[in-house]
Amino acid sequence: MDDLIRNINTLNSQGFTFWIEQEGRLRYMLSQSHPEKEEALIWVKENKEKLLELLKFNVKTPETSIFPYIYKYNVDKQHLSFAQERLWFIEKYEQGTNAYNIPIICKLSKGVSVGILERSIKAIIARHEILRTVIKEDSAGSCYQEVIDTNAYPFEIQKVKCISKKELDENIKRDVTHIYDLSNEYPIRVRVYTLEDSNNKEDKQNQNDSDLSTPTYFLSIVIHHIAFDGWSSGIFLEELKEYYRHYIAEQVGHMSQLKLPPLTIQYKDFALWQRNYLTGDVLAKQLSYWKQRLEGYEPLHLHADYARPAEMDYQGRNIPFELDRDLSLRLREAAKSLGVSLYSLMLAC
């Protein structure tokens, strides 16, 4: 199966595009000037049935544009991406760590429908398979992705009542520091906290008398980095707003159309594409480039006030500071002239 996928990606990179029409026919597009046109056509005919089975999710109609370079494959075991594999190695080496948890913690505004919010979050998890994916290993020690069946194992959002701000903070800290069992549980945890604290003076001062009996809600979402990153946060929050808007409109009887495009591929499809794309000449070219760029590098020694512990404990804190506008502009210009990111320049300072 891997050889078949590798051949598809090779042909695709040469301008040979495959798709399946709605009636189930295998179609392709190939430049007339392709240097190996005849050989490619022979290979397609010899592997027609396998291609139909493998690409059966890539259905197109004549009116639609040619589908993306990344195919949606039908395979039993989906490989991890290189980034996922690195994180999986760290998880195994550390025997579980919370260093790669990404928290989204917020206080909900008055009037937010908690029920609709929960429904919206579950809709996002159903939409994005990576948020319900576990990592498995076969008998040979090879790891692969497996999507959780939400019908068999529904995603649960826990509701927790807290009687004090201290109890709330302790609960959220437990959420943020949770160590995931990435082989058996969703890589996302969601909690809705209700704070009924008569001593919470700050909130009470901001409430009208009619609101004094209304509890304050907090939303805790913690997602492991193996399924999420900084770029994902913006997508997640935008989709959450759209699902919430859509369900609220439906609840009050308004006609509403969900303004989210269907997903033509999932992250696992990208992972498989990446695995088969970064091989052969492509991989050799990338390795050659970075070996040349990094030749003669020197390790970066950051000056620290204390000696590093023998075993990393991931303890630390943020220390905010500001640079004036003039210095900021000069640093950006310096980074630009050196051809490096501002992040790299600041590390080297």
Side-chain angles (χ1 to χ4, degrees):
M1 186 66 73
D2 284 348
D3 289 339
L4 187 67
I5 295 171
R6 192 172 295 112
N7 285 337
I8 290 174
N9 284 322
T10 299
L11 290 172
N12 191 241
S13 67
Q14 297 170 350
F16 198 137
T17 307
F18 301 89
W19 72 97
I20 298 177
E21 291 189 335
Q22 289 184 335
E23 61 269 23
R25 295 176 59 192
L26 177 66
R27 301 300 299 271
Y28 58 85
M29 180 179 291
L30 177 63
S31 170
Q32 293 296 323
S33 59
H34 193 285
E36 299 177 359
K37 178 183 176 182
E38 295 303 323
E39 290 84 349
L41 291 176
I42 291 172
W43 181 84
V44 170
K45 291 178 181 178
E46 291 177 346
N47 293 276
K48 181 179 178 180
E49 295 303 319
K50 292 180 181 179
L51 288 168
L52 283 169
E53 176 62 22
L54 188 66
L55 300 175
K56 67 181 181 181
F57 294 113
N58 297 284
V59 176
K60 292 289 169 181
T61 63
E63 291 77 21
T64 58
S65 59
I66 299 303
F67 61 85
Y69 180 43
I70 303 175
Y71 292 89
K72 185 171 184 177
Y73 291 115
N74 175 37
V75 296
D76 293 332
K77 292 183 179 180
Q78 292 278 1
H79 295 292
L80 304 187
S81 69
F82 292 120
Q84 286 178 310
E85 193 172 61
R86 287 193 296 271
L87 288 168
W88 178 247
F89 171 80
I90 293 171
E91 284 291 317
K92 299 284 285 185
Y93 180 78
E94 297 277 357
Q95 297 182 348
T97 174
N98 54 37
Y100 293 93
N101 289 357
I102 301 176
I104 301 174
I105 312 296
C106 56
K107 177 182 175 182
L108 301 183
S109 301
K110 298 297 179 184
V112 169
S113 170
V114 174
I116 294 294
L117 185 64
E118 291 178 2
R119 183 183 175 190
S120 301
I121 292 171
K122 289 182 178 180
I124 293 175
I125 293 172
R127 173 176 165 85
H128 296 277
E129 290 182 354
I130 188 63
L131 294 177
R132 46 191 174 90
T133 293
V134 292
I135 312 301
K136 299 290 187 179
E137 286 188 359
D138 59 23
S139 57
S142 299
C143 48
Y144 59 94
Q145 304 183 56
E146 186 174 281
V147 179
I148 295 175
D149 181 357
T150 53
N151 293 320
Y153 304 98
F155 181 77
E156 300 293 338
I157 297 178
Q158 290 189 4
K159 296 180 181 178
V160 182
K161 289 185 178 181
C162 300
I163 61 173
S164 68
K165 185 66 163 55
K166 180 181 178 182
E167 183 183 0
L168 173 67
D169 291 342
E170 289 173 348
N171 274 289
I172 291 178
K173 183 178 180 180
R174 277 194 291 270
D175 290 342
V176 173
T177 58
H178 172 72
I179 295 178
Y180 283 93
D181 179 0
L182 295 174
S183 293
N184 295 294
E185 67 175 320
Y186 283 83
I188 175 173
R189 286 164 62 92
V190 180
R191 303 285 187 274
V192 176
Y193 291 101
T194 305
L195 178 60
E196 298 175 340
D197 182 5
S198 59
N199 297 317
N200 190 3
K201 297 180 180 179
E202 180 181 349
D203 279 343
K204 297 301 180 184
Q205 290 174 354
N206 295 328
Q207 290 178 346
N208 298 322
D209 291 340
S210 59
D211 294 331
L212 292 178
S213 60
T214 304
T216 305
Y217 292 98
F218 292 82
L219 178 66
S220 168
I221 303 174
V222 181
I223 312 174
H224 195 281
H225 188 31
I226 206 165
F228 205 75
D229 60 14
W231 187 267
S232 307
S233 299
I235 297 173
F236 186 95
L237 294 175
E238 285 300 315
E239 291 194 358
L240 182 59
K241 287 195 301 184
E242 175 56 22
Y243 273 115
Y244 186 86
R245 179 205 64 78
H246 174 66
Y247 291 143
I248 284 291
E250 283 190 340
Q251 188 180 56
V252 297
H254 292 164
M255 293 292 292
S256 175
Q257 183 176 359
L258 189 64
K259 299 176 182 178
L260 291 175
L263 299 179
T264 56
I265 61 169
Q266 296 284 342
Y267 185 81
K268 65 183 183 183
D269 302 309
F270 161 76
L272 192 55
W273 167 84
Q274 183 191 57
R275 284 286 179 179
N276 288 283
Y277 175 70
L278 288 176
T279 57
D281 292 340
V282 174
L283 180 60
K285 185 177 180 180
Q286 291 282 335
L287 289 174
S288 175
Y289 171 82
W290 285 109
K291 284 179 179 179
Q292 183 178 0
R293 290 287 294 177
L294 298 175
E295 186 178 4
Y297 81 95
E298 295 181 7
L300 179 62
H301 297 289
L302 296 175
H303 298 288
D305 295 327
Y306 303 96
R308 289 183 178 274
E311 184 175 341
M312 188 178 295
D313 58 11
Y314 297 105
Q315 295 298 314
R317 62 191 178 98
N318 295 323
I319 302 177
F321 64 92
E322 292 185 3
L323 303 177
D324 62 57
R325 179 179 177 81
D326 180 62
L327 180 56
S328 297
L329 290 174
R330 284 191 288 142
L331 284 169
R332 292 182 187 279
E333 286 298 323
K336 184 177 180 180
S337 65
L338 293 170
V340 299
S341 67
L342 182 61
Y343 174 79
S344 297
L345 179 66
M346 296 299 289
L347 273 180
C349 290

